[in-house]
Each structure stands twice: as structure tokens, then as C-alpha cells.
Amino acid sequence: MVPEDHSRRRVLAGGLITAGALTLGVTPASARTTGRPTAVLVHGAFADASGWNDVSTLLLKAGYDVIAPANPLRDIAGDAQYVGSVVDTIPGPVILVGHSYGGEVITNAGHGRANVKALVYVAAFAPAEGESALQLAGQFPGSRLPDALLTRPYPVPGSSEPGIDAYVDPAKFHDVFAQDLPRALTRAMAVTQRPASVGGLGSPSGVPAWSSLPSWYVVPTADRVIPPAVQHFMAKRAKSRVVEVKGASHVVMMSRPDAVFRQIEAARRATH
């Protein structure tokens, strides 16, 4: 009987821990009283949420609530729906910040959500309806990304056809993606990068949130993934307030987090 009692106790304890975790997951979001908006930081392809660490540190010091969700990187509709579901759990105002493909995600996730007050694009895509990230990346010359990609198939549930994931070749990662960061760091980034579905990168975007929301833009002048000319084109169309960061790479939020922080602050001051 003793082993059975211990087993029963373990089950009950596990249930209590699960229930407690769910409660803890809900209570803080509804109790925030910092008076500042929540910054939702959305990473792009070939990266992960850790790329926002330095920007997050600056935001937290300034009194922001910060969430940097894991972008699924599967398809634009599903990715935007996921990020939108995170935004829907936040009771107060939100500033959506997107890097690279994450810009396309916030363009879609921000549409129609009343608590989203501003968009901040960081070396990012800001597509119009029907455009895709892949289409925009090639609209002006200068991207080194196409020649640096490796692909791998992955299984798609319910389909006999695999999906195709794209990675940046680790041998080219530093020079294409993050040439202003130390090579020791970019070697680690290359091996921990999260791939993006080629189908997702080529999917058409929906109604853009920037058509009804104010936006800010950080353009790194040495971006080798999304040419600065493409970024200026999108920023002008969205009527974004633009700051250029001279000599910065595609991962400007890592090499120049101060510049990104200042644009988020500018968005906050203008909309709150």
C-alpha cells in the first residue's frame, strides 16, 4: 500500500504544480502597473529571441514590461496569429517591435488590435498587402542572402510533401548576417540559428497595420540581408519616422541596441 500512496501523492502534487503554474502565468499580466507600454519584441528568421537581450535590458531599466516571444517561423498567417495571441493577453498598451521577417509578422499581428499603439521596424520588412518577404528582399539589388542559404526538408503533418527550411550557411553567417559582431559570437549564432520555412517567407502578407498605425524605422546602412534601399522604400510608403545607423549590420539590435531603444522610446513618447 505504501508505494501506491506515494504514487497517488506524486500525481496530486503534479496537478497542484500545474494549476499553480497556470495561475502564475495569468496573474502578472493583469497586475502590471508600471505606467509604460509593453514592448513585444519579435525576432526574424535565422535568429531567436535572445537577439533582443541588450535591447530588453535597456527597456527593463526604463520601466517597460517586455515580452520577446518565440516566432514560429512557419507561415505568415500562423506566425502573426501566434504573436497576436500573445498581444491579446496584455491588458495595457503595446508597442510591437519587429526585426527582419519579424517586421512582416508585426505588420499582420498589429492589424485590428486596439491595444497596439505603434510599430517599430528594425532592419525589417514592412510589406503591403499581397507582398512577401522574399519578393521585397529582391526588389532592389544588394542582398547577399540568396547565395548564402542552405535548405533542408522537414515533415508537414497531413501532407505527403515536405516543407523546406532555409538556414544561413554557417561559413557565411558572419559576413552576410552580422559582420559588425565578433566572430566568436557569430559562430555560436550560426549554429543555434532557427530556420525559416521558405513557404512562409514567400507567403503573401495581409492588410498592413502600418496603414492605420504610426511607425518608426531603424535602417542599418551596412545591412547585407535587406538592402537599405528596400528598407527606405518600405519606410517611406508606411510614413515611418526613420533613423539610419551608420555602418551597422542586419543585427543592429545586437550591435547598436541603444539606437533601437531610442526609436522605441520615440514611439512611446509620441503615442502615450
Side-chain angles (χ1 to χ4, degrees), residues 172-215:
K172 300 178 180 179
F173 192 95
H174 174 86
D175 291 338
V176 171
F177 203 72
Q179 74 274 15
D180 57 350
L181 294 181
R183 285 188 179 272
L185 174 58
T186 60
R187 280 197 295 270
M189 291 168 62
V191 300
T192 60
Q193 66 177 290
R194 292 186 57 205
S197 164
V198 173
L201 294 174
S203 297
S205 193
V207 178
W210 52 254
S211 64
S212 57
L213 290 172
S215 60

Side-chain angles (χ1 to χ4, degrees), residues 6-256:
H6 280 304
S7 177
R8 188 177 294 113
R9 287 183 192 133
R10 283 196 296 270
V11 171
L12 288 171
L16 288 171
I17 290 169
T18 301
L22 289 172
T23 301
L24 288 171
V26 172
T27 302
S30 61
R32 289 174 178 140
T33 56
T34 65
R36 295 217 172 203
T38 297
V40 177
L41 313 179
V42 183
H43 68 83
F46 324 120
D48 61 26
S50 68
W52 293 113
N53 284 353
D54 291 338
V55 172
S56 295
T57 298
L58 294 173
L59 290 168
L60 291 167
K61 284 182 180 178
Y64 287 82
D65 290 310
V66 181
I67 300 176
N71 185 354
L73 302 177
R74 297 295 84 187
D75 66 87
I76 186 57
D79 297 345
Q81 185 178 29
Y82 174 74
V83 170
S85 74
V86 173
V87 173
D88 290 341
T89 68
I90 300 170
V94 168
I95 295 176
L96 282 177
V97 186
H99 172 246
S100 196
Y101 169 75
E104 184 172 5
V105 174
I106 69 169
T107 295
N108 287 266
H111 176 66
R113 287 187 160 86
N115 63 331
V116 176
K117 304 303 180 184
L119 309 169
V120 179
Y121 293 95
V122 180
F125 292 107
E129 186 173 7
E131 293 177 339
S132 72
L134 289 180
Q135 173 189 346
L136 285 165
Q139 189 157 328
F140 291 83
S143 177
R144 299 190 188 182
L145 184 63
D147 293 333
L149 292 179
L150 302 175
T151 58
R152 293 185 173 94
Y154 67 90
V156 177
S159 174
S160 60
E161 294 296 322
I164 302 296
D165 263 342
Y167 298 75
V168 177
D169 183 346
K172 300 178 180 179
F173 192 95
H174 174 86
D175 291 338
V176 171
F177 203 72
Q179 74 274 15
D180 57 350
L181 294 181
R183 285 188 179 272
L185 174 58
T186 60
R187 280 197 295 270
M189 291 168 62
V191 300
T192 60
Q193 66 177 290
R194 292 186 57 205
S197 164
V198 173
L201 294 174
S203 297
S205 193
V207 178
W210 52 254
S211 64
S212 57
L213 290 172
S215 60
W216 283 255
Y217 218 113
V218 179
V219 178
T221 63
D223 194 327
R224 297 174 180 175
V225 175
I226 306 175
V230 177
Q231 296 182 47
H232 278 293
F233 164 76
M234 293 183 289
K236 182 178 180 180
R237 182 174 61 183
K239 298 181 173 61
S240 302
R241 289 76 157 174
V242 176
V243 62
E244 284 193 333
V245 184
K246 301 296 183 183
S249 73
H250 187 60
V251 289
V252 60
M253 74 285 190
M254 297 180 69
S255 62
R256 290 292 303 277

